Amino acid sequence: MSTLKFAVLPGDGIGPEVMEVALNVLSTIAAKENMQLDYKTADVGGIAIDNHGSALPDSTLEVCKTADAILFGSVGGPKWENLPPKEQPERAALLPLRKAFSLFANIRPGLLYAELAEASPLKTERIPNGIDIVCIRELTGGIYFGQPKETKDLEGDDILAIDTMIYKKSEIERIADVAIATAKSRGKRLCSVDKANVLETSVLWRQTVTERVAAKAPELELTHMYVDNAAMQLARDPNQFDVLFTENMFGDILSDEMAVICGSLGMLASASLGAGKNSLGKPFGLYEPAGGTAPDIAGKILANPCAQVLSAALMLRYSFGLEEAATAIEKAVETAVKGGTRTSDIAFGSEVASTKDMELAILASL
Ligand code: IPM
Ligand code: MN
């Protein structure tokens, strides 16, 4: 019997409620496939600040280090909003986790079922078949982590702040390989986004991606787009893309734009894959919903658990190599939602389901 060893970090707000659903779905699939779950839960984010004085305590890092993957909820909330930016749960938990496990490859599917197209600001008229694209974002380089990064006082009462955007060719190559593999497994179209008309890092990015695709996957259709144009194109006609691929900060902005175009944050999952391999020889990864902690509905059992469940499916796919089980979960979510079970974010006028109703519908279709 195979064992799935992972860390569970539910976090704040709706995190624990939707995590419970994901764990119940995982238990069900494990029982069916004769697998065993071996997970340890640990505090992260605001609750970790309250309980341990740090958004990412050493004890939580230890739990993650002994696991093959991390299933993450969401962090932050009004209670911690007045902390200095560096200490806020989102930044103080996520950025060090990305660094600690070299989580360089962020994969965010932008998936919207045709049945839910009205939830998108583009409405059914513009996207009659829904949306099916994916965004690959570099996650441990660029301006987020480049040094120097500092603020200093200047003579004459002025102040200087610096962030540094840095990319090494090797960093671009390894994320290009993830983008190439993703495009190969889908529609074979890769659009690399940069700002090569202005930035040195983008000139290197464009050149490296071009070389890499020519050497490794000449069958792919590779295009390049400036980031300002990509932002416009995404809002105009998202399905013109298949795999959208970019560096850290452009990816932060574009993937969130993609998320809002896809209607509800409650439906979107993400994977952040590490450079290292886990004990199974698969990529170590962190899996989290695209949405936040939704403080307004936290504790009311109203949140849409689909994004958390779909994140668990991505964990099975990438960190455990269980493609069939991952697809089974994705299909079960699809069947539940298409069958009419709708939490408030995707209900538009129809009867509103609770988190629990959604769980039962997913389990029933499994
Ligand atoms: C995200 C978030 C993070 C980022 C923040 C919270 C540090 O916006 O995962 O997209 O900017 O990467
Ligand atoms: Mn973001």
Side-chain angles (χ1 to χ4, degrees):
M1 187 187 276
S2 62
T3 302
L4 310 184
K5 199 163 184 225
F6 57 100
V8 174
L9 312 187
D12 308 312
I14 60 167
E17 302 159 42
V18 293
M19 185 64 84
E20 191 184 317
V21 177
L23 291 172
N24 289 340
V25 169
L26 283 172
S27 303
T28 305
I29 200 102
K32 277 181 60 170
E33 311 268 329
N34 200 25
M35 297 179 303
Q36 207 170 346
L37 301 187
D38 173 12
Y39 62 85
K40 283 205 182 76
T41 304
D43 286 342
V44 73
I47 190 173
I49 294 178
D50 292 354
N51 291 345
H52 314 265
S54 147
L56 184 65
D58 287 341
S59 51
T60 298
L61 261 181
E62 278 314 309
V63 167
C64 297
K65 281 183 187 153
T66 58
D68 286 323
I70 304 169
L71 190 57
F72 194 94
S74 47
V75 292
K79 188 172 175 194
W80 306 280
E81 248 162 38
N82 294 323
L83 290 173
K86 274 188 187 163
E87 290 168 33
Q88 292 200 0
E90 293 89 336
R91 183 163 157 190
L94 278 173
L95 296 186
L97 264 174
R98 288 175 189 168
K99 253 306 177 239
F101 294 99
S102 303
L103 303 173
F104 72 98
N106 184 232
I107 305 176
R108 295 199 198 187
L111 185 65
L112 174 67
Y113 311 138
E115 289 80 353
L116 296 187
E118 277 305 297
S120 165
L122 293 185
K123 301 293 174 196
T124 317
E125 195 188 329
R126 300 291 289 269
I127 41 167
N129 303 317
I131 299 173
D132 184 3
I133 63 180
V134 63
C135 182
I136 308 282
R137 165 187 176 195
E138 202 290 327
L139 205 57
T140 50
I143 202 164
Y144 271 58
F145 294 98
Q147 293 295 337
K149 188 181 201 61
E150 59 182 334
T151 304
K152 49 186 176 191
D153 292 326
L154 295 179
E155 277 169 43
D157 218 22
D158 207 351
I159 303 176
L160 176 94
I162 312 177
D163 292 288
T164 309
M165 191 183 232
I166 299 184
Y167 269 106
K168 285 194 238 158
K169 194 174 172 78
S170 54
E171 284 177 292
I172 303 171
E173 284 171 345
R174 70 175 180 179
I175 187 71
D177 289 349
V178 175
I180 288 170
T182 309
K184 276 182 160 178
S185 72
R186 293 176 43 99
K188 310 221 165 9
R189 291 185 296 121
L190 183 61
C191 179
S192 172
V193 173
D194 61 42
K195 189 71 184 172
N197 49 350
V198 178
L199 301 177
E200 288 295 316
T201 43
S202 281
V203 172
L204 181 64
W205 180 278
R206 191 175 280 221
Q207 183 192 331
T208 306
V209 172
T210 305
E211 286 169 13
R212 204 70 175 174
V213 171
K216 292 202 149 185
E219 74 275 21
L220 295 184
E221 178 195 306
L222 172 67
T223 52
H224 301 275
M225 201 179 269
Y226 295 138
V227 61
D228 46 357
N229 186 25
M232 292 189 279
Q233 295 303 326
L234 197 53
R236 212 179 55 78
D237 173 19
N239 287 314
Q240 71 182 277
F241 300 108
D242 175 27
V243 178
L244 197 55
F245 165 46
T246 192
E247 65 88 47
N248 202 348
M249 189 168 64
F250 299 160
D252 177 41
I253 300 165
L254 289 180
S255 63
D256 278 339
E257 185 190 347
M258 179 188 77
V260 78
I261 289 168
C262 283
S264 174
L265 289 177
M267 294 300 300
L268 297 178
S270 81
S272 299
L273 305 185
K277 298 273 188 262
N278 63 22
S279 77
L280 305 160
K282 303 279 177 197
F284 183 88
L286 178 146
Y287 300 86
E288 61 173 323
T293 50
D296 51 322
I297 55 165
K300 298 184 179 159
I301 321 293
L302 289 175
N304 186 345
C306 290
Q308 189 75 60
V309 172
L310 293 170
S311 299
L314 294 181
M315 176 176 84
L316 296 187
R317 170 169 298 128
Y318 292 114
S319 285
F320 295 103
L322 297 168
E323 177 61 36
E324 271 175 38
T327 311
I329 292 177
E330 289 165 350
K331 282 268 170 286
V333 169
E334 189 172 345
T335 308
V337 171
K338 289 187 177 173
T341 309
R342 306 278 171 85
T343 42
S344 61
D345 53 321
I346 50 173
F348 12 85
S350 63
E351 197 191 331
V352 173
S354 69
T355 308
K356 200 73 197 166
D357 297 329
M358 190 60 105
E359 173 181 339
L360 293 175
I362 297 169
L363 292 178
S365 0
L366 259 186

